[in-house]
Amino acid sequence: MRRTAQWRVPLVIAAASVSAELGGSSSRAFLRFERTAIVDAEPWRLVTGHFVHLGPAHMLMNTAALLLLWLLVGQNLTAAGWLVVISACLIGIDLGFWLFDPQLTWYVGLSGLLHGMLAAGLVARYRVAMAESLTLGCLLAAKILFEQVAGPLPGSALSAGGPVVVNAHFYGALAGVAVGLLLRTGDQPAEPI
């Protein structure tokens, strides 16, 4: 039972993504982050757009990344801590899109949230695994810097099945670092999820 409880957060995220995917193209159109629809009083898209994908391959790729992320950093925060991280990252990504990417008309996918969760998880585990956290953090920063300078990693648009919005990764990681640092101010060891 305890082992299953430790996987609640990624299982809920994966279930939301699979459920959105089962709705097909009509679900994608109804749930994606879409600027004009949000302005026209459809605010749920600020959340749901992060859980709907370009198609099954994109959803499976992001779900696999979520599971890998969870193996790396999932135990570093409580379930409540992860809820705070997820909320802060979604808000950070949406604000970034809204304020700094007015040309972005729509967005789908977990990747921005995943970058934020990884960043927050690395900040949370820094004191217990300093070298590993620093190495992974530097790799994450290098990836984001590469994307900001050169665009998406080669092959990522092809594997996702459509355009990659690299600013989602940037905004997510920034929000993840910020909320990770805020959560560390309490400096209490994480309780098992």
Side-chain angles (χ1 to χ4, degrees):
M1 179 67 172
R2 181 177 164 151
R3 194 176 242 341
T4 305
Q6 293 172 339
W7 286 85
R8 280 184 297 203
V9 172
L11 290 175
V12 168
I13 293 171
S17 294
V18 169
S19 297
E21 186 56 39
L22 290 174
S25 59
S26 60
S27 177
R28 283 184 209 107
F30 183 70
L31 298 174
R32 72 184 186 179
F33 175 103
E34 188 172 324
R35 188 176 293 271
T36 56
I38 294 166
V39 170
D40 291 338
E42 296 181 4
W44 65 83
R45 294 171 180 270
L46 293 166
V47 174
T48 59
H50 300 277
F51 299 95
V52 66
H53 291 83
L54 293 168
H58 186 214
M59 189 266 307
L60 288 172
M61 183 175 63
N62 275 337
T63 302
L66 170 66
L67 298 178
L68 178 60
L69 174 153
W70 200 256
L71 287 170
L72 288 171
V73 298
Q75 303 308 309
N76 297 312
L77 293 167
T78 64
W82 280 115
L83 182 59
V84 170
V85 167
I86 291 165
S87 300
C89 289
L90 294 180
I91 291 167
I93 296 164
D94 290 340
L95 279 174
F97 286 164
W98 208 263
L99 299 174
F100 304 114
D101 291 320
Q103 76 287 354
L104 181 71
T105 57
W106 64 273
Y107 168 82
V108 295
L110 273 176
S111 62
L113 176 59
L114 295 176
H115 282 73
M117 289 174 69
L118 179 58
L122 290 173
V123 169
R125 75 186 306 228
Y126 181 74
R127 286 204 177 134
V128 295
M130 189 180 300
E132 185 179 299
S133 297
L134 191 57
T135 301
L136 290 172
C138 287
L139 289 172
L140 178 62
K143 176 193 182 283
I144 291 170
L145 180 62
F146 177 88
E147 290 177 335
Q148 290 299 304
V149 172
L153 294 175
S156 59
L158 182 62
S159 61
V164 175
V165 181
V166 296
N167 282 351
H169 305 167
F170 177 64
Y171 302 142
L174 283 178
V177 168
V179 73
L181 289 170
L182 286 173
L183 289 174
R184 274 196 44 198
T185 59
D187 214 33
Q188 297 173 342
E191 298 171 18
I193 296 176

